Amino acid sequence: MNNKKRILTGDRTTGRLHLGHFIGSLQNRVKLQYEYDTIVLLADVQALTTHFEKPELIKESIVDVAIDNLSVGLDPEKTTIALQSQIPAIAELTVFYSMLVSVNVLRHNPTIKTEAKQYGYSDLTYGFLGYPVSQAADITFCNADLVPVGEDQLPHLELSRKIVRRFNELYGKGRTCITVPEAMLSDTPRLVGLDGNSKMGKSLGNAIYLSDDEKTIADKVRNAVTDTNRIAVSDKGNPEICSVSKYHRAFNRTEYDNICEMCRNASIGCVACKNNLSEKLNNILSPIREKRRYYESNVNLVKEYIRSGNERANAIGNETIASVKESMGLVMDKI
Ligand code: TRP
């Protein structure tokens, strides 16, 4: 159809997306969609690995996450939005790839470890431990070249590359069956939580959502943890240990250096600094809110985009599976 390189990325459908997603991946997708053939997966099967007891939440989140993507500027004419559970090629590839990964490698995956701790898992399900394998299938069912992700996903990308290389070695007979994907990392460091926690996360309860209104944002920023040694406005602050400064760095780049300087010499107080940040966040989010309102009142249109995205993804996935089975010898006329 065209010879653009392909991007594949995805979001778990376990609730709405937040500023951490925006910085880590969404912004990059929006920028890159003009240059690359972009596919965004609504990862409802991966959502099950942690939320299998909440199928209702996963179902509701499908449209919410699609709207999050559309309202930050993904153009449905350029980007394919597809629902993971509707693409059988991903499930099939997951099974084939699962032979090529040892349980110990998965156990030592740092993101799996962190998430297991976060969710309080002591004994991991097979599905949760194996989700990085399924993510390799997400990425490769369409032979993606590039994957825009946040830092926490890098171990998964590394694993995907290993699996694909091994697969090609074993079944490719000298040719590349599956494209070895590359990570594209955001140029902004991971967002800390406003509570000072090391990561903004849906499950950590410290997130600013793309769908939050102006007042909610102002409230969340007002309660953010700053330099706890700074009590009076006349105390000199230390931006290095202040969560708000990290947000200025991410969302208010032009003023960042200046604000840090003013904090260090006590010429700006935390209240003014926070008000400034809330204003900047609102400037970024207000056009996003406007688009959201449009899609929220046209949910059928959103579902239509997903339906046609599934169709396109399946056309691509079925072709991949046919060639994968062919190279593995899993075809009737070769028996
Ligand atoms: N694991 C990713 C996250 O938690 C979501 C995801 C699912 C993904 N499938 C993907 C990301 C494929 C990149 C590529 O954010």
PDB file of all heavy atoms in Angstrom, residues 55-67:
ATOM      1  N   PRO A  55     -13.956  -7.171  34.516  1.00  0.00           N
ATOM      2  CA  PRO A  55     -14.225  -7.080  33.064  1.00  0.00           C
ATOM      3  C   PRO A  55     -15.027  -5.833  32.687  1.00  0.00           C
ATOM      4  O   PRO A  55     -14.853  -5.304  31.596  1.00  0.00           O
ATOM      5  CB  PRO A  55     -14.994  -8.368  32.757  1.00  0.00           C
ATOM      6  CG  PRO A  55     -15.492  -8.868  34.068  1.00  0.00           C
ATOM      7  CD  PRO A  55     -14.520  -8.397  35.101  1.00  0.00           C
ATOM      8  N   GLU A  56     -15.853  -5.344  33.618  1.00  0.00           N
ATOM      9  CA  GLU A  56     -16.666  -4.161  33.302  1.00  0.00           C
ATOM     10  C   GLU A  56     -15.774  -2.929  33.108  1.00  0.00           C
ATOM     11  O   GLU A  56     -15.978  -2.126  32.204  1.00  0.00           O
ATOM     12  CB  GLU A  56     -17.680  -3.883  34.429  1.00  0.00           C
ATOM     13  CG  GLU A  56     -18.892  -4.785  34.401  1.00  0.00           C
ATOM     14  CD  GLU A  56     -19.591  -4.786  33.036  1.00  0.00           C
ATOM     15  OE1 GLU A  56     -19.791  -3.675  32.476  1.00  0.00           O
ATOM     16  OE2 GLU A  56     -19.919  -5.876  32.544  1.00  0.00           O
ATOM     17  N   LEU A  57     -14.789  -2.799  34.009  1.00  0.00           N
ATOM     18  CA  LEU A  57     -13.858  -1.666  33.914  1.00  0.00           C
ATOM     19  C   LEU A  57     -13.095  -1.713  32.588  1.00  0.00           C
ATOM     20  O   LEU A  57     -12.925  -0.701  31.907  1.00  0.00           O
ATOM     21  CB  LEU A  57     -12.866  -1.694  35.082  1.00  0.00           C
ATOM     22  CG  LEU A  57     -11.690  -0.715  34.945  1.00  0.00           C
ATOM     23  CD1 LEU A  57     -12.136   0.717  35.195  1.00  0.00           C
ATOM     24  CD2 LEU A  57     -10.535  -1.076  35.864  1.00  0.00           C
ATOM     25  N   ILE A  58     -12.655  -2.902  32.217  1.00  0.00           N
ATOM     26  CA  ILE A  58     -11.900  -3.046  30.974  1.00  0.00           C
ATOM     27  C   ILE A  58     -12.775  -2.656  29.777  1.00  0.00           C
ATOM     28  O   ILE A  58     -12.346  -1.923  28.892  1.00  0.00           O
ATOM     29  CB  ILE A  58     -11.371  -4.492  30.825  1.00  0.00           C
ATOM     30  CG1 ILE A  58     -10.347  -4.773  31.932  1.00  0.00           C
ATOM     31  CG2 ILE A  58     -10.761  -4.716  29.444  1.00  0.00           C
ATOM     32  CD1 ILE A  58      -9.798  -6.180  31.949  1.00  0.00           C
ATOM     33  N   LYS A  59     -14.014  -3.104  29.816  1.00  0.00           N
ATOM     34  CA  LYS A  59     -14.922  -2.810  28.704  1.00  0.00           C
ATOM     35  C   LYS A  59     -15.160  -1.300  28.570  1.00  0.00           C
ATOM     36  O   LYS A  59     -15.036  -0.736  27.490  1.00  0.00           O
ATOM     37  CB  LYS A  59     -16.253  -3.550  28.911  1.00  0.00           C
ATOM     38  CG  LYS A  59     -17.081  -3.616  27.647  1.00  0.00           C
ATOM     39  CD  LYS A  59     -18.314  -4.450  27.818  1.00  0.00           C
ATOM     40  CE  LYS A  59     -19.378  -3.650  28.536  1.00  0.00           C
ATOM     41  NZ  LYS A  59     -20.629  -4.391  28.736  1.00  0.00           N
ATOM     42  N   GLU A  60     -15.462  -0.666  29.692  1.00  0.00           N
ATOM     43  CA  GLU A  60     -15.699   0.791  29.653  1.00  0.00           C
ATOM     44  C   GLU A  60     -14.471   1.550  29.166  1.00  0.00           C
ATOM     45  O   GLU A  60     -14.591   2.577  28.500  1.00  0.00           O
ATOM     46  CB  GLU A  60     -15.950   1.321  31.076  1.00  0.00           C
ATOM     47  CG  GLU A  60     -17.348   1.210  31.558  1.00  0.00           C
ATOM     48  CD  GLU A  60     -17.401   1.405  33.075  1.00  0.00           C
ATOM     49  OE1 GLU A  60     -16.548   2.142  33.624  1.00  0.00           O
ATOM     50  OE2 GLU A  60     -18.287   0.781  33.697  1.00  0.00           O
ATOM     51  N   SER A  61     -13.307   1.042  29.559  1.00  0.00           N
ATOM     52  CA  SER A  61     -12.085   1.781  29.265  1.00  0.00           C
ATOM     53  C   SER A  61     -11.710   1.743  27.793  1.00  0.00           C
ATOM     54  O   SER A  61     -10.898   2.552  27.346  1.00  0.00           O
ATOM     55  CB  SER A  61     -10.930   1.224  30.097  1.00  0.00           C
ATOM     56  OG  SER A  61     -11.238   1.296  31.465  1.00  0.00           O
ATOM     57  N   ILE A  62     -12.273   0.801  27.050  1.00  0.00           N
ATOM     58  CA  ILE A  62     -11.912   0.688  25.633  1.00  0.00           C
ATOM     59  C   ILE A  62     -12.223   1.992  24.905  1.00  0.00           C
ATOM     60  O   ILE A  62     -11.352   2.594  24.258  1.00  0.00           O
ATOM     61  CB  ILE A  62     -12.632  -0.515  24.988  1.00  0.00           C
ATOM     62  CG1 ILE A  62     -12.032  -1.817  25.556  1.00  0.00           C
ATOM     63  CG2 ILE A  62     -12.509  -0.480  23.470  1.00  0.00           C
ATOM     64  CD1 ILE A  62     -12.820  -3.068  25.251  1.00  0.00           C
ATOM     65  N   VAL A  63     -13.451   2.458  25.042  1.00  0.00           N
ATOM     66  CA  VAL A  63     -13.824   3.708  24.371  1.00  0.00           C
ATOM     67  C   VAL A  63     -13.107   4.897  25.025  1.00  0.00           C
ATOM     68  O   VAL A  63     -12.635   5.809  24.345  1.00  0.00           O
ATOM     69  CB  VAL A  63     -15.359   3.889  24.352  1.00  0.00           C
ATOM     70  CG1 VAL A  63     -15.746   5.292  23.927  1.00  0.00           C
ATOM     71  CG2 VAL A  63     -15.989   2.873  23.404  1.00  0.00           C
ATOM     72  N   ASP A  64     -12.980   4.873  26.351  1.00  0.00           N
ATOM     73  CA  ASP A  64     -12.276   5.974  27.042  1.00  0.00           C
ATOM     74  C   ASP A  64     -10.847   6.144  26.517  1.00  0.00           C
ATOM     75  O   ASP A  64     -10.405   7.254  26.247  1.00  0.00           O
ATOM     76  CB  ASP A  64     -12.191   5.706  28.560  1.00  0.00           C
ATOM     77  CG  ASP A  64     -13.520   5.960  29.267  1.00  0.00           C
ATOM     78  OD1 ASP A  64     -14.384   6.626  28.665  1.00  0.00           O
ATOM     79  OD2 ASP A  64     -13.674   5.499  30.418  1.00  0.00           O
ATOM     80  N   VAL A  65     -10.135   5.029  26.403  1.00  0.00           N
ATOM     81  CA  VAL A  65      -8.735   5.109  25.962  1.00  0.00           C
ATOM     82  C   VAL A  65      -8.659   5.507  24.487  1.00  0.00           C
ATOM     83  O   VAL A  65      -7.771   6.268  24.082  1.00  0.00           O
ATOM     84  CB  VAL A  65      -7.992   3.778  26.244  1.00  0.00           C
ATOM     85  CG1 VAL A  65      -6.609   3.774  25.625  1.00  0.00           C
ATOM     86  CG2 VAL A  65      -7.890   3.533  27.746  1.00  0.00           C
ATOM     87  N   ALA A  66      -9.616   5.030  23.696  1.00  0.00           N
ATOM     88  CA  ALA A  66      -9.654   5.455  22.288  1.00  0.00           C
ATOM     89  C   ALA A  66      -9.861   6.969  22.230  1.00  0.00           C
ATOM     90  O   ALA A  66      -9.179   7.677  21.474  1.00  0.00           O
ATOM     91  CB  ALA A  66     -10.767   4.725  21.536  1.00  0.00           C
ATOM     92  N   ILE A  67     -10.777   7.478  23.054  1.00  0.00           N
ATOM     93  CA  ILE A  67     -11.040   8.924  23.059  1.00  0.00           C
ATOM     94  C   ILE A  67      -9.820   9.697  23.563  1.00  0.00           C
ATOM     95  O   ILE A  67      -9.486  10.759  23.040  1.00  0.00           O
ATOM     96  CB  ILE A  67     -12.321   9.255  23.869  1.00  0.00           C
ATOM     97  CG1 ILE A  67     -13.547   8.717  23.121  1.00  0.00           C
ATOM     98  CG2 ILE A  67     -12.456  10.761  24.110  1.00  0.00           C
ATOM     99  CD1 ILE A  67     -14.881   8.980  23.802  1.00  0.00           C
TER     100      ILE A  67
END
